[in-house]
Amino acid sequence: MIKILTIDSERNSAQKLGFETHVYNYDRIEKFDNDIVIRWGNSSLFYDKDGKLKEFKNVLNRGENIRLNCEKNKSLQKLSGVVKTPKIYYKEVSENRLVVYRSIWHSNGKGFKVEKGPFKIKKEYYATQWIKTDKEFRVFYCNNNGGQFLLCRRITYRKDRLKERYKCRSKWGYSFFKKVPEKLKKQVKLAFDKIKLDIGAADILYKDKRYYFLEINSSPTVDSDQIENFYKENLVKLAKEKFPQLL
């Protein structure tokens, strides 16, 4: 059986995928030995019969990789080795540099602010180069059959949001594309392989014919029919590829 382990804020979203969904329970990990567990943003480990914390026997999106991905400064640094990212600042921002400044543990656009240097970066914060562009994309990804992709552009019809000087598009809607450029597919796959995640979504800016990867999301919100159908179809296929003996 396929089961999803998610975080509380994504419980209702993840349930749309049609699998038994957990946020956390205190069963021993052996109970899930005959299940396929999809970690949807939840990196919690379970105890075995000897009281040791362990990973699930059959798991997609390993907990250790989700934990790395949640430390946005470290995961972005790893991504920069295989794809283009905004410049990352760790200790201080120099004079007149415009940056996005936020906690390394941010999610859902929380704490988003744009500031100009010079200033020193506080502990557990980081900064990235502000890239001025109206083109922000999200690519939903599932690592079956060499990689499956669903591309959309962030859009909004709210005039107040369109007038914002520094736009945070985390809560904006989507305009979906029928095709994904091969160049973008290759870069998205490189990014997911680097973080070692099987499932998720990549947030990407586009400027001057270049893609800039902002982050990988291991628990993308399922808030449209297209996203729901994409994951329902591809998660089952991925599970069959990885664990054919269980399905």
Side-chain angles (χ1 to χ4, degrees):
M1 181 183 294
I2 297 175
K3 296 181 179 179
I4 288 184
L5 179 65
T6 190
I7 53 179
D8 191 61
S9 61
E10 292 296 335
R11 182 203 295 263
N12 293 337
S13 166
Q15 285 177 331
K16 294 178 183 178
L17 300 175
F19 306 110
E20 183 178 314
T21 303
H22 300 261
V23 171
Y24 194 82
N25 69 47
Y26 296 94
D27 291 316
R28 286 181 175 161
I29 200 165
E30 291 90 353
K31 178 180 177 180
F32 301 91
D33 280 354
N34 294 318
D35 297 316
I36 299 166
V37 178
I38 299 173
R39 289 185 174 275
W40 200 262
N42 189 325
S43 64
S44 301
L45 296 177
F46 281 41
Y47 287 97
D48 68 6
K49 62 183 179 180
D50 298 318
K52 296 180 180 178
L53 287 168
K54 287 191 175 180
E55 180 59 278
F56 296 101
K57 185 177 179 181
N58 313 297
V59 63
L60 298 171
N61 276 4
R62 293 181 62 84
E64 61 186 327
N65 300 328
I66 291 178
R67 285 191 291 277
L68 165 63
N69 189 60
C70 287
E71 293 189 62
K72 299 302 183 181
N73 57 337
K74 292 182 180 179
S75 60
L76 194 60
Q77 185 178 32
K78 287 185 75 70
L79 287 176
S80 69
V82 294
V83 294
K84 194 164 187 62
T85 67
K87 183 177 179 179
I88 314 165
Y89 298 84
Y90 300 99
K91 295 183 179 180
E92 61 181 358
V93 177
S94 53
E95 188 171 1
N96 292 324
R97 296 292 182 183
L98 200 60
V99 297
V100 180
Y101 182 49
R102 60 204 310 194
S103 164
I104 63 174
W105 308 105
H106 71 83
S107 63
N108 297 319
K110 293 179 181 177
F112 176 91
K113 57 182 178 179
V114 177
E115 295 191 4
K116 182 180 287 188
F119 64 89
K120 293 189 180 298
I121 296 173
K122 296 189 296 186
K123 185 178 180 181
E124 297 194 349
Y125 278 70
Y126 76 115
T128 56
Q129 168 195 5
W130 169 256
I131 296 175
K132 187 177 180 180
T133 177
D134 290 326
K135 296 179 179 179
E136 182 172 337
F137 299 94
R138 171 165 277 202
V139 182
F140 299 92
Y141 176 78
C142 195
N143 187 27
N144 60 294
N145 193 30
Q148 299 300 310
F149 310 84
L150 176 64
L151 171 63
C152 65
R153 181 174 175 176
R154 289 289 196 175
I155 62 167
T156 183
Y157 297 104
R158 285 181 49 175
K159 292 182 179 180
D160 58 329
R161 288 184 172 176
L162 289 171
K163 290 179 180 178
E164 290 173 346
R165 184 177 183 185
Y166 303 119
K167 298 177 181 66
C168 177
R169 302 179 181 90
S170 295
K171 301 294 185 181
W172 288 26
Y174 310 112
S175 175
F176 290 91
F177 294 80
K178 292 183 178 180
K179 294 184 179 180
V180 185
E182 290 300 320
K183 177 182 177 181
L184 182 55
K185 285 183 180 180
K186 291 178 182 178
Q187 292 188 28
V188 170
K189 183 163 177 54
L190 282 172
F192 273 86
D193 287 349
K194 190 66 176 180
I195 306 297
K196 298 181 180 178
L197 290 173
D198 300 295
I199 306 148
D203 292 323
I204 303 163
L205 297 178
Y206 186 72
K207 184 176 183 178
D208 298 332
K209 298 182 179 180
R210 293 182 177 181
Y211 297 109
Y212 292 84
F213 281 68
L214 303 178
E215 64 178 6
I216 300 294
N217 189 318
S218 62
S219 58
T221 302
V222 182
D223 53 0
S224 79
D225 291 342
Q226 292 95 324
I227 299 168
E228 182 178 330
N229 293 335
F230 173 81
Y231 282 120
K232 278 183 175 179
E233 176 183 352
N234 288 294
L235 288 175
V236 172
K237 290 181 179 179
L238 176 59
K240 286 181 178 178
E241 283 185 18
K242 295 285 186 178
F243 310 105
Q245 73 281 7
L246 296 177
L247 292 173

